[in-house]
Amino acid sequence: MLKFGTLSFEQPFRIEEIVRAPAPDGSDSLWHRYVISQGTNTIDGLRAGKQVDVLSQVEAMVERLNQRRMGK
């Protein structure tokens, strides 16, 4: 038997971590790696900028993902 509430697509997206990361080749600015999860699914990405700015950008991304998931 499958419990509907335990399916990963039923869980909201959330920020797992944001940590400083080495800059990609050819770049010398400050970079951060972020991980967004939804159950067992993950989205890994890189963003340039200060941690507070990256956090703001990733929070906005998570909000949009959750709006799409709920059908606005």
Side-chain angles (χ1 to χ4, degrees):
M1 183 162 93
L2 191 61
K3 290 186 178 180
F4 190 73
T6 62
L7 297 175
S8 64
F9 66 83
E10 286 297 313
Q11 297 176 14
F13 289 92
R14 65 187 185 129
I15 299 171
E16 287 294 325
E17 70 177 356
I18 297 178
V19 295
R20 191 160 178 191
D25 291 341
S27 177
D28 60 353
S29 59
L30 185 61
W31 285 79
H32 289 83
R33 182 178 70 83
Y34 63 87
V35 178
I36 297 171
S37 70
Q38 181 197 32
T40 59
N41 302 319
T42 59
I43 301 169
D44 299 315
L46 287 172
R47 291 268 178 178
K50 297 178 185 176
Q51 186 171 12
V52 67
D53 297 329
V54 172
L55 175 60
S56 178
Q57 294 168 1
V58 175
E59 284 175 335
M61 185 185 322
V62 166
E63 184 177 333
R64 287 190 307 271
L65 286 167
N66 282 321
Q67 287 175 347
R68 283 181 36 191
R69 182 181 67 82
M70 297 298 288
K72 293 190 180 182

